[in-house]
Amino acid sequence: MYIENEFYQLQKNDWYSLYMVIGIINIQCFRFILLKNVCQLVINFITSRLLSVLLTIVLFSSCDSINDGPINLNNYTELNSQSEGAGMFSFTYDLISESYLNVYSHIPTNSSPSTPIVFVFHGNNRNAYDYRNSLVEKADLYGFILIVPEFTNSQFPGGDGYNLGNVFIDGDNPSLSTLNPEPEWTFSVIEPLFTYTKQQLNNQTAKYHIIGHSAGAQFAHRFLFFKPEAKVDKIVASAAGWYTTLELDINFPYGLNSSPLENMDYTQLFSNHLTVLIGSNDNDPNSSSLRHNSIVDLQGLNRLERASNFYTNAQSIAVNQELNFEWNYVINPNADHNYLIAVSKAADLIFNQ
């Protein structure tokens, strides 16, 4: 009605009324636009709050589902006959210095004194926790005790401290003067840890199995070389970056010369159940952390070539010396350097061969 009155004034040619009408129309339009914007802001605010609430619910639900399972929990911090599921314990490997390492483990339900024990050696990332978690399902499936020692960089620095077993102060330049006493070798931690695990769990198994991947495979195959009396049954060395080959005219760490391995007993070595495992796609010569120099490249330019040559050369020695040869060579189809795929395949090889 008010607008109609304003238009009535127009009929009298009241220009002042014309301005008033235009002003009123502009005010009404401004109010409409303002109301529209306010409504949009309210809708956006309510929507954002609802999304936040929903996201919070999802996150809490996810956390609950993770914590319900054994993979991301350490159910115990001391190993004993009551231990079950995933856990972590400390093992003192040097009583004099009271040096210890953390050991991630998984004890399957209904384990018994005869339950097999499997040691797993992690890669260069020193991620024992992840390696333990990746094999929980296999441990439950096959019924084995999972033991994954964590060789940290601070305790076992660099390749000398881990990959090469701390045999020499400088493993790339071995000499009698830099040869460490055997109790200081990283390799010397494993047998006491096996004994401790058995004692704490009342386990009666005579031997244990080994899975090592990448840097862990380097540690694993050299452990076999330097500890010939170790109580190892089956061992899978998966995708080592390079190897200590059985070449007497090449210096350690690439060969046996200038090391305690010069007089290695091949008969005993080849009687071990060693499987050299490698992915068919683990063939990148530029893979990160893959060592290259004039000596190591004689083994090949990538992990696939090096694994094949390491196995083939050992097999040739066995044939030439007419020795029993218990090693195996397995190519994992379509697999690259992924540790999840590798350790899962390794567990299958140990318990399905």
Side-chain angles (χ1 to χ4, degrees), residues 25 28 34 53 58 62 66 74 102 115-116 136 181 186 193 209 232 237 242 248 252 296-297 307 312 320 343 348 353:
I25 293 173
Q28 295 299 324
L34 179 62
V53 171
V58 170
S62 300
I66 290 173
N74 287 326
N102 291 329
T115 300
V136 165
T186 311
L193 178 55
H209 306 300
V232 180
W242 53 282
L248 289 170
F252 184 83
V296 75
D297 283 350
T312 301
N320 291 336
V343 298
D348 293 338
Q353 280 188 346

Short mmCIF file of all heavy atoms in Angstrom, two decimals, residues 25 28 34 53 58 62 66 74 102 115-116 136 181 186 193 209 232 237 242 248 252 296-297 307 312 320 343 348 353:
data_model
loop_
_atom_site.label_atom_id
_atom_site.label_comp_id
_atom_site.label_asym_id
_atom_site.label_seq_id
_atom_site.Cartn_x
_atom_site.Cartn_y
_atom_site.Cartn_z
N ILE A 25 12.88 1.59 -2.67
CA ILE A 25 13.14 0.34 -3.41
C ILE A 25 14.56 -0.14 -3.16
O ILE A 25 14.81 -1.33 -2.94
CB ILE A 25 12.88 0.55 -4.91
CG1 ILE A 25 11.39 0.80 -5.16
CG2 ILE A 25 13.37 -0.66 -5.71
CD1 ILE A 25 11.06 1.18 -6.60
N GLN A 28 14.82 -1.71 0.27
CA GLN A 28 14.21 -3.03 0.32
C GLN A 28 15.14 -4.08 -0.34
O GLN A 28 15.30 -5.20 0.14
CB GLN A 28 12.85 -3.02 -0.39
CG GLN A 28 11.80 -2.15 0.29
CD GLN A 28 11.50 -2.61 1.70
OE1 GLN A 28 11.49 -3.81 1.97
NE2 GLN A 28 11.27 -1.66 2.61
N LEU A 34 21.06 -8.45 2.11
CA LEU A 34 21.67 -8.66 3.42
C LEU A 34 21.11 -9.90 4.09
O LEU A 34 21.85 -10.73 4.64
CB LEU A 34 21.44 -7.43 4.29
CG LEU A 34 22.01 -7.50 5.72
CD1 LEU A 34 23.52 -7.63 5.66
CD2 LEU A 34 21.62 -6.25 6.52
N VAL A 53 31.78 -32.39 13.64
CA VAL A 53 31.28 -33.43 14.55
C VAL A 53 31.41 -34.81 13.92
O VAL A 53 31.86 -35.77 14.55
CB VAL A 53 29.81 -33.14 14.93
CG1 VAL A 53 29.23 -34.32 15.70
CG2 VAL A 53 29.73 -31.88 15.77
N VAL A 58 34.26 -40.10 13.35
CA VAL A 58 35.00 -41.07 12.51
C VAL A 58 36.38 -41.34 13.08
O VAL A 58 36.84 -42.48 13.16
CB VAL A 58 35.10 -40.55 11.06
CG1 VAL A 58 36.06 -41.41 10.26
CG2 VAL A 58 33.73 -40.53 10.42
N SER A 62 37.85 -44.79 14.46
CA SER A 62 39.03 -45.41 13.88
C SER A 62 40.02 -45.77 14.97
O SER A 62 40.62 -46.84 14.95
CB SER A 62 39.68 -44.47 12.87
OG SER A 62 38.80 -44.17 11.82
N ILE A 66 41.49 -49.49 15.97
CA ILE A 66 42.91 -49.83 15.96
C ILE A 66 43.34 -50.40 17.28
O ILE A 66 44.00 -51.43 17.37
CB ILE A 66 43.74 -48.57 15.62
CG1 ILE A 66 43.55 -48.17 14.16
CG2 ILE A 66 45.22 -48.81 15.88
CD1 ILE A 66 44.20 -46.86 13.79
N ASN A 74 51.29 -52.79 22.51
CA ASN A 74 52.27 -53.63 23.18
C ASN A 74 51.60 -54.14 24.46
O ASN A 74 51.48 -53.41 25.44
CB ASN A 74 53.53 -52.83 23.50
CG ASN A 74 54.34 -52.56 22.24
OD1 ASN A 74 54.38 -53.38 21.33
ND2 ASN A 74 54.98 -51.41 22.18
N ASN A 102 65.73 -52.94 22.44
CA ASN A 102 64.30 -53.24 22.47
C ASN A 102 64.00 -54.35 21.47
O ASN A 102 64.53 -54.37 20.36
CB ASN A 102 63.49 -51.99 22.12
CG ASN A 102 63.56 -50.94 23.21
OD1 ASN A 102 63.69 -51.26 24.39
ND2 ASN A 102 63.47 -49.68 22.82
N THR A 115 56.40 -74.42 20.09
CA THR A 115 56.08 -73.39 19.10
C THR A 115 57.36 -72.86 18.46
O THR A 115 58.28 -72.44 19.18
CB THR A 115 55.30 -72.23 19.74
OG1 THR A 115 54.09 -72.73 20.30
CG2 THR A 115 54.97 -71.16 18.72
N PRO A 116 57.45 -72.84 17.13
CA PRO A 116 58.67 -72.35 16.46
C PRO A 116 58.94 -70.88 16.76
O PRO A 116 58.02 -70.10 17.01
CB PRO A 116 58.36 -72.57 14.97
CG PRO A 116 57.21 -73.51 14.93
CD PRO A 116 56.44 -73.30 16.17
N VAL A 136 52.26 -60.21 12.05
CA VAL A 136 51.38 -60.73 13.10
C VAL A 136 50.40 -61.76 12.55
O VAL A 136 50.21 -62.84 13.13
CB VAL A 136 50.63 -59.58 13.79
CG1 VAL A 136 49.45 -60.10 14.61
CG2 VAL A 136 51.57 -58.80 14.70
N PRO A 181 86.74 -57.63 19.08
CA PRO A 181 86.57 -58.92 19.76
C PRO A 181 85.19 -59.49 19.45
O PRO A 181 84.21 -58.75 19.34
CB PRO A 181 86.69 -58.55 21.25
CG PRO A 181 87.42 -57.25 21.27
CD PRO A 181 87.03 -56.53 20.02
N THR A 186 77.87 -57.44 16.52
CA THR A 186 76.40 -57.41 16.58
C THR A 186 75.84 -58.81 16.37
O THR A 186 74.79 -59.16 16.94
CB THR A 186 75.85 -56.45 15.51
OG1 THR A 186 76.54 -55.20 15.59
CG2 THR A 186 74.36 -56.20 15.71
N LEU A 193 70.01 -63.93 22.75
CA LEU A 193 68.61 -63.52 22.71
C LEU A 193 67.69 -64.73 22.49
O LEU A 193 66.60 -64.81 23.08
CB LEU A 193 68.39 -62.48 21.61
CG LEU A 193 66.96 -61.98 21.40
CD1 LEU A 193 66.37 -61.42 22.69
CD2 LEU A 193 66.92 -60.91 20.29
N HIS A 209 64.28 -69.91 13.15
CA HIS A 209 64.32 -69.48 11.76
C HIS A 209 64.67 -67.99 11.70
O HIS A 209 64.49 -67.27 12.68
CB HIS A 209 62.98 -69.71 11.08
CG HIS A 209 62.46 -71.11 11.19
ND1 HIS A 209 63.15 -72.19 10.69
CD2 HIS A 209 61.32 -71.61 11.75
CE1 HIS A 209 62.45 -73.30 10.93
NE2 HIS A 209 61.34 -72.97 11.57
N VAL A 232 70.52 -72.20 13.81
CA VAL A 232 69.59 -71.74 12.78
C VAL A 232 69.06 -72.92 11.99
O VAL A 232 69.83 -73.80 11.59
CB VAL A 232 70.26 -70.74 11.83
CG1 VAL A 232 69.28 -70.27 10.76
CG2 VAL A 232 70.79 -69.54 12.61
N ALA A 237 67.06 -64.74 3.16
CA ALA A 237 67.73 -63.45 2.95
C ALA A 237 67.06 -62.78 1.75
O ALA A 237 67.25 -63.21 0.61
CB ALA A 237 69.22 -63.64 2.72
N TRP A 242 73.64 -55.76 -1.46
CA TRP A 242 74.83 -56.42 -1.98
C TRP A 242 75.26 -57.48 -0.97
O TRP A 242 74.68 -57.59 0.10
CB TRP A 242 75.95 -55.41 -2.23
CG TRP A 242 76.29 -54.53 -1.08
CD1 TRP A 242 75.60 -53.44 -0.63
CD2 TRP A 242 77.40 -54.68 -0.18
NE1 TRP A 242 76.20 -52.90 0.47
CE2 TRP A 242 77.31 -53.63 0.77
CE3 TRP A 242 78.46 -55.57 -0.09
CZ2 TRP A 242 78.24 -53.45 1.79
CZ3 TRP A 242 79.40 -55.40 0.91
CH2 TRP A 242 79.28 -54.35 1.85
N LEU A 248 87.74 -65.58 -2.56
CA LEU A 248 88.93 -65.49 -1.69
C LEU A 248 89.92 -64.43 -2.14
O LEU A 248 90.79 -64.03 -1.36
CB LEU A 248 89.62 -66.86 -1.64
CG LEU A 248 88.87 -67.96 -0.87
CD1 LEU A 248 89.53 -69.31 -1.09
CD2 LEU A 248 88.84 -67.62 0.62
N PHE A 252 87.18 -58.47 2.23
CA PHE A 252 85.95 -58.18 2.94
C PHE A 252 85.72 -56.65 2.91
O PHE A 252 86.70 -55.90 2.97
CB PHE A 252 86.07 -58.68 4.39
CG PHE A 252 84.82 -58.53 5.20
CD1 PHE A 252 83.82 -59.49 5.13
CD2 PHE A 252 84.63 -57.44 6.03
CE1 PHE A 252 82.66 -59.36 5.87
CE2 PHE A 252 83.48 -57.29 6.78
CZ PHE A 252 82.49 -58.26 6.70
N VAL A 296 81.79 -53.57 -5.96
CA VAL A 296 80.46 -54.12 -5.71
C VAL A 296 79.67 -54.28 -7.00
O VAL A 296 78.83 -55.18 -7.13
CB VAL A 296 79.69 -53.26 -4.69
CG1 VAL A 296 79.19 -51.97 -5.31
CG2 VAL A 296 78.51 -54.05 -4.10
N ASP A 297 79.95 -53.44 -8.00
CA ASP A 297 79.22 -53.54 -9.26
C ASP A 297 79.59 -54.80 -10.05
O ASP A 297 78.90 -55.14 -11.02
CB ASP A 297 79.44 -52.30 -10.12
CG ASP A 297 78.63 -51.10 -9.63
OD1 ASP A 297 77.77 -51.30 -8.76
OD2 ASP A 297 78.88 -49.97 -10.10
N ALA A 307 71.52 -60.71 -6.48
CA ALA A 307 71.00 -61.92 -5.82
C ALA A 307 71.25 -63.16 -6.67
O ALA A 307 71.68 -64.20 -6.17
CB ALA A 307 69.50 -61.76 -5.56
N THR A 312 74.23 -68.12 -7.78
CA THR A 312 74.84 -68.92 -8.85
C THR A 312 76.31 -69.21 -8.57
O THR A 312 76.79 -70.34 -8.80
CB THR A 312 74.70 -68.18 -10.20
OG1 THR A 312 73.32 -67.96 -10.48
CG2 THR A 312 75.31 -69.01 -11.32
N ASN A 320 81.61 -77.69 -8.19
CA ASN A 320 83.03 -77.95 -8.47
C ASN A 320 83.70 -78.75 -7.37
O ASN A 320 84.59 -79.57 -7.64
CB ASN A 320 83.77 -76.62 -8.67
CG ASN A 320 83.35 -75.91 -9.94
OD1 ASN A 320 82.86 -76.54 -10.88
ND2 ASN A 320 83.52 -74.60 -9.97
N VAL A 343 58.53 -59.94 3.34
CA VAL A 343 58.55 -60.74 4.57
C VAL A 343 57.37 -61.70 4.63
O VAL A 343 57.47 -62.78 5.22
CB VAL A 343 58.58 -59.84 5.82
CG1 VAL A 343 59.85 -59.00 5.84
CG2 VAL A 343 57.35 -58.94 5.92
N ASP A 348 55.95 -67.58 4.19
CA ASP A 348 55.37 -68.70 3.43
C ASP A 348 56.43 -69.72 3.05
O ASP A 348 56.20 -70.93 3.11
CB ASP A 348 54.69 -68.17 2.16
CG ASP A 348 53.46 -67.32 2.45
OD1 ASP A 348 52.89 -67.46 3.54
OD2 ASP A 348 53.09 -66.51 1.58
N GLN A 353 57.48 -74.89 2.67
CA GLN A 353 58.41 -75.67 1.84
C GLN A 353 58.32 -77.16 2.19
O GLN A 353 58.09 -77.51 3.34
CB GLN A 353 59.84 -75.18 2.04
CG GLN A 353 60.14 -73.92 1.24
CD GLN A 353 61.60 -73.53 1.29
OE1 GLN A 353 62.36 -74.05 2.12
NE2 GLN A 353 62.02 -72.65 0.41
#
